[in-house]
Amino acid sequence: MEIKENLSVIKENINKACRQAGRNPEEVRLVAVTKYVTADRAEEAIEAGIIHLGENRDEGLAEKYERIGNKAVWHFIGSLQSRKVKHVIDKVSYIHSLDRLSLAKEIDKRAEAPVQCFVQVNTSGEVSKHGIKPEETISFIKACSEYPAIQIAGLMTMAPSTDDTSTIRRTFQRLKELKEEIQGLGLDHAPCTELSMGMSSDYMIAIEEGATFIRIGSSLVG
Ligand SMILES: *Cc1c(COP(=O)(O)O)cnc(C)c1O
């Protein structure tokens, strides 16, 4: 499918979910996840009007960045090994997968300017999923204040692998509650205004529950 056609379907769905939830569609930013596709295809996404691109491996990011550069705003969405930080830090505007202090320390060491980070929270409790336990998130975020380059833009989660939409919805609600609790702390390094949640199969639920960044791969770029 042409990206343009996929994009218009997704935009319609974003509008529909926003109407449902009484939200402004402009609050929802679409990150096109290009991890499965070529640099040509990623460039096609930019030509279709997409601004945000997401990659989950340093090699994929490097390949596409070389082609597209600053025509996109880059997001790193996958689990990030500390030794790879130096390869991604100069390219990305957002890291969606901050999940340990050793990573915060490495980002702080390598960054030349503050980096917008999402703390990845394991709201589903699935052992296969990365992320901090919900009950440990606040103490983790407080501990990040030791690293001046770490800005906590918000929280990120992945829905559990289930078809049960009420379970998926609950994990998104849990992330939103946690985000609001952290916002309420008024921490300088953690405005925590954003929610990165929702992928191809569940982004409408995520938008209804407050997502401000949705990360879509297969149903957008293939
Ligand atoms: C692959 C991936 C996505 C996109 O998944 P699709 O189901 O293809 O939309 C979103 N977020 C993360 C963290 C991913 O790894």
Side-chain angles (χ1 to χ4, degrees), residues 29-173:
R29 274 143 301 171
L30 171 61
V31 180
V33 176
T34 50
K35 67 188 186 191
Y36 309 114
V37 301
T38 60
D40 280 343
R41 188 76 170 158
E43 195 159 40
E44 207 185 305
I46 296 296
E47 282 158 11
I50 284 167
I51 295 163
H52 299 272
L53 295 185
E55 278 286 330
N56 69 341
R57 308 209 34 192
D58 67 316
E59 297 92 341
L61 175 65
E63 183 202 346
K64 281 145 195 155
Y65 186 86
E66 195 178 322
R67 174 80 65 87
I68 294 164
N70 292 330
K71 282 189 282 178
V73 174
W74 295 93
H75 297 249
F76 196 86
I77 61 164
S79 69
L80 180 55
Q81 290 173 274
S82 294
R83 66 191 172 85
K84 304 278 173 113
V85 167
K86 59 177 177 292
H87 302 304
V88 312
I89 197 78
D90 54 338
K91 303 180 182 72
V92 300
S93 300
Y94 294 89
I95 294 175
H96 289 242
S97 45
L98 179 59
D99 60 358
R100 55 194 194 280
L101 282 178
S102 57
L103 180 58
K105 184 177 179 181
E106 181 67 15
I107 292 169
D108 186 61
K109 180 174 149 191
R110 303 283 177 183
E112 285 176 3
V115 185
Q116 300 298 323
C117 296
F118 287 85
V119 174
Q120 185 169 351
V121 183
N122 185 352
T123 45
S124 69
E126 280 183 4
V127 286
S128 62
K129 296 268 192 308
H130 289 271
I132 299 211
K133 289 186 185 147
E135 62 272 24
E136 292 171 0
T137 305
I138 289 180
S139 63
F140 174 79
I141 286 177
K142 286 181 174 166
C144 284
S145 69
E146 201 182 320
Y147 304 110
I150 302 290
Q151 274 287 308
I152 308 293
L155 304 181
M156 178 274 213
T157 200
M158 314 253 290
S161 318
T162 173
D163 294 330
D164 178 15
T165 55
S166 63
T167 302
I168 293 170
R169 191 178 293 280
R170 267 200 309 281
T171 65
F172 292 154
Q173 287 168 342

